[in-house]
Amino acid sequence: MRGQLSLDDLASLAEGGHIDTVLACMVDMQGRLMGKRFHVQHFLDSAHSETHCCNYLLATDIEMYTVSGYASTSWERGYGDYTMRPDLSTLRLAGWLEGTAIILCDVLDHHGHDPVAISPRQMLKAQVARAEKLGFDVIAATELEFFIFAQSFDEIRKNGFRDLDPISGYNEDYHILQTTKEEGVMRALRNGLYASGIPVEGTKGEAETGQEELNIRYAQALETAEYHSIAKHAAKEVGWQQGRAVSFLPKWHEDKVGSASHVHLSLWKGDNPAFCDPDAPLGMSKTMRAALGGMLKYLSDYTVFFAPYVNSYKRFREGTFAPTAKVWSVDNRTAAYRLCGDGTKGIRMECRLPGADMNPYVAISAMIAAALAGIEEGLDCGDPFTGDAYEATDRIPSTLRAATEALRGSDMMRAAFGDEVIDHYTRAAEWEQEAFDTVVTDWEIARGFERA
């Protein structure tokens, strides 16, 4: 694919003066790219084999605070190193940055060079391998929703994150005129990603002021997570280049619709869609019905992988296109799982629960785990919900605290990922709640300063 590079390609581009910098990146718990910038010659000489990072990168919160209570590393254990091994199949141009290439790395134990189980990339690899043992390829796609603000990140931060001003003044869902005004950011983003070998399909205005959506073509699950993480990172950098803040916060204002990141998933056997049975109702095979049954049965268990922060749960409100109930439906945007492409080879489930703040590696891996559990248990998804799913009573967890407890007690997730992984991510969710619980918010002060 255009934009993807071999080491020989990189060497030729370096010799011609076109590339001078290589970003070697791992994906942290929050789904962000962390790593180092190498001079291209050093990368070609040795760093393409391995480099190193502090192991606290998989044991901090979003502020990079060193959280206590992790088994993997701590002050007592001295915060040692991980090995970062570049995956050469991910080497590509960083088309939105001058003279730069980017590569993603696997995270390995510094001594034995075994994969680190709590690494998001390894979590997804493990679930893909489980699916392959059952004869399935996992195909996925994600949609990235985000807000563009008129100010820059620095301007907003210096103003205390107050008086935020979206780049547009009205709902711009599918709106061509309004999105034309945002092309300074969006055209540069589309073209920069395409030049990087990311199969961008297009962008559109979303259902709020200043809200955009980026769509990338479906791919193998690991590639999809890779595309998502790079695209999210690029969106922020392109916005910065244009003096705009691009935010993936799920809910930045109580009166505004939130930002989601819907995930589409299907299972295939080679060129044959395992979810498709042309003779079955809606074209849904028994495999699909069982997989969906698992995704629904265990939805509470892995909600925290879709909604990892306190703010994540502010999205789940009636009448906002964000789901609140554990139901599936046919082409119905009020349901947690929406059947798309019914009766065709492209039949798939769209999960509408994840927010824009999700880590695509852990979110997709959780969906796979639940789908495989449904297949192994011989479950069925039941009849589709009809009508307004906001009226359904079987609700998803409405708080981070509730979702954390569901993950902690999930036998299915522990069987799929191991206690080490589940305990690690449970502790991450606990800390997010603990950190929030210590803060006195502007809302509390305004509400009670005089009247309490």
Side-chain angles (χ1 to χ4, degrees):
M1 183 183 295
R2 175 184 177 183
Q4 291 185 293
L5 303 172
S6 66
L7 275 181
D8 289 340
D9 294 333
L10 182 64
S12 296
L13 289 169
E15 184 177 356
H18 301 293
I19 295 290
D20 54 60
T21 300
V22 178
L23 304 179
C25 303
M26 60 163 281
V27 177
D28 72 0
M29 293 172 68
Q30 291 75 29
R32 301 173 298 184
L33 301 186
M34 297 289 179
K36 304 176 181 179
R37 279 178 160 84
F38 287 112
H39 189 280
V40 64
Q41 193 56 54
H42 178 72
F43 183 83
L44 289 166
D45 290 344
S46 63
H48 70 273
S49 177
E50 69 175 46
T51 185
H52 306 88
C53 67
C54 179
N55 63 15
Y56 92 142
L57 288 179
L58 292 177
T60 66
D61 67 3
I62 202 165
E63 292 274 14
M64 304 298 290
Y65 177 72
T66 47
V67 178
S68 64
Y70 285 117
S72 62
T73 189
S74 63
W75 289 112
E76 289 76 16
R77 297 181 62 179
Y79 286 110
D81 271 359
Y82 285 140
T83 297
M84 293 169 56
R85 179 173 292 166
D87 180 344
L88 296 180
S89 71
T90 71
L91 181 61
R92 63 183 70 248
L93 296 173
W96 65 96
L97 296 174
E98 183 179 359
T100 303
I102 186 171
I103 193 167
L104 297 181
C105 301
D106 289 312
V107 181
L108 311 175
D109 175 77
H110 186 53
H111 301 289
H113 281 196
D114 293 324
V116 173
I118 60 174
S119 162
R121 203 159 192 266
Q122 179 57 31
M123 290 168 65
L124 181 52
K125 281 189 168 185
Q127 297 310 307
V128 168
R130 283 186 64 210
E132 289 175 346
K133 285 184 178 180
L134 295 175
F136 298 117
D137 295 319
V138 184
I139 302 299
T142 60
E143 306 169 25
L144 290 83
E145 295 177 3
F146 49 88
F147 280 86
I148 307 175
F149 292 89
Q151 312 101 311
S152 68
F153 283 127
D154 287 341
E155 290 170 332
I156 290 172
R157 182 170 54 250
K158 290 175 182 177
N159 198 36
F161 298 93
R162 297 183 178 89
D163 302 321
L164 298 179
D165 184 18
I167 195 172
S168 69
Y170 49 83
N171 183 320
E172 59 184 72
D173 202 16
Y174 295 94
H175 208 283
I176 296 299
L177 172 61
Q178 183 54 54
T179 52
T180 295
K181 303 173 189 176
E182 300 166 7
E183 278 289 82
V185 173
M186 299 308 299
R187 180 170 180 263
L189 177 60
R190 289 193 306 271
N191 290 339
L193 291 173
Y194 186 78
S196 306
I198 307 279
V200 172
E201 292 184 347
T203 58
K204 61 174 284 290
E206 255 301 320
E208 193 47 271
T209 55
Q211 191 179 33
E212 286 270 4
E213 177 180 298
L214 171 69
N215 297 123
I216 300 171
R217 185 175 173 82
Y218 64 85
Q220 296 281 340
L222 192 64
E223 287 183 309
T224 291
E226 171 189 332
Y227 296 158
H228 182 111
S229 295
I230 293 173
K232 184 175 179 180
H233 180 86
K236 293 182 179 181
E237 291 194 335
V238 170
W240 173 82
Q241 292 166 350
Q242 303 292 333
R244 311 292 191 184
V246 172
S247 177
F248 291 82
L249 187 69
K251 190 78 168 179
W252 71 269
H253 193 283
E254 62 270 19
D255 295 331
K256 302 291 185 181
V257 170
S259 289
S261 187
H262 305 147
V263 179
H264 297 248
L265 188 138
S266 61
L267 299 179
W268 289 64
K269 291 191 171 184
D271 294 330
N272 298 312
F275 275 8
C276 181
D277 180 353
D279 298 324
L282 298 171
M284 297 174 68
S285 69
K286 290 183 179 179
T287 296
M288 183 179 196
R289 295 186 65 87
L292 177 55
M295 289 190 281
L296 289 169
K297 176 181 177 180
Y298 295 109
L299 185 52
S300 293
D301 297 26
Y302 59 97
T303 293
V304 76
F305 281 177
F306 291 159
Y309 307 109
V310 172
N311 180 264
S312 308
Y313 296 81
K314 304 296 179 69
R315 247 187 79 235
F316 304 134
R317 297 291 182 271
E318 294 183 9
T320 64
F321 293 102
T324 59
K326 294 185 285 186
V327 299
W328 76 278
S329 193
V330 180
D331 197 19
N332 182 339
R333 285 179 168 85
T334 69
Y337 275 96
R338 178 172 76 124
L339 178 66
C340 298
D342 49 295
T344 73
K345 288 185 64 176
I347 191 170
R348 62 198 183 277
M349 293 311 304
E350 175 196 44
C351 185
R352 299 181 59 80
L353 189 59
D357 55 346
M358 74 160 190
N359 180 332
Y361 290 88
V362 299
I364 296 172
S365 68
M367 286 179 65
I368 297 171
L372 296 182
I375 292 170
E376 291 169 343
E377 295 174 28
L379 300 180
D380 187 80
C381 58
D383 295 330
F385 186 91
T386 57
D388 183 355
Y390 291 118
E391 297 177 356
T393 58
D394 189 6
R395 298 300 179 104
I396 63 171
S398 60
T399 66
L400 178 58
R401 189 174 279 110
T404 302
E405 292 309 310
L407 176 64
R408 189 197 312 277
S410 175
D411 292 336
M412 184 279 289
M413 292 291 281
R414 290 184 180 277
F417 291 96
D419 289 338
E420 176 188 2
V421 171
I422 299 307
D423 289 344
H424 190 87
Y425 281 84
T426 298
R427 178 58 191 142
E430 283 178 341
W431 170 252
E432 286 299 320
Q433 189 67 57
E434 291 169 13
F436 179 82
D437 287 346
T438 66
V439 174
V440 178
T441 67
D442 290 349
W443 182 87
E444 296 168 80
I445 295 171
R447 187 174 179 86
F449 189 83
E450 177 179 347
R451 286 161 287 204

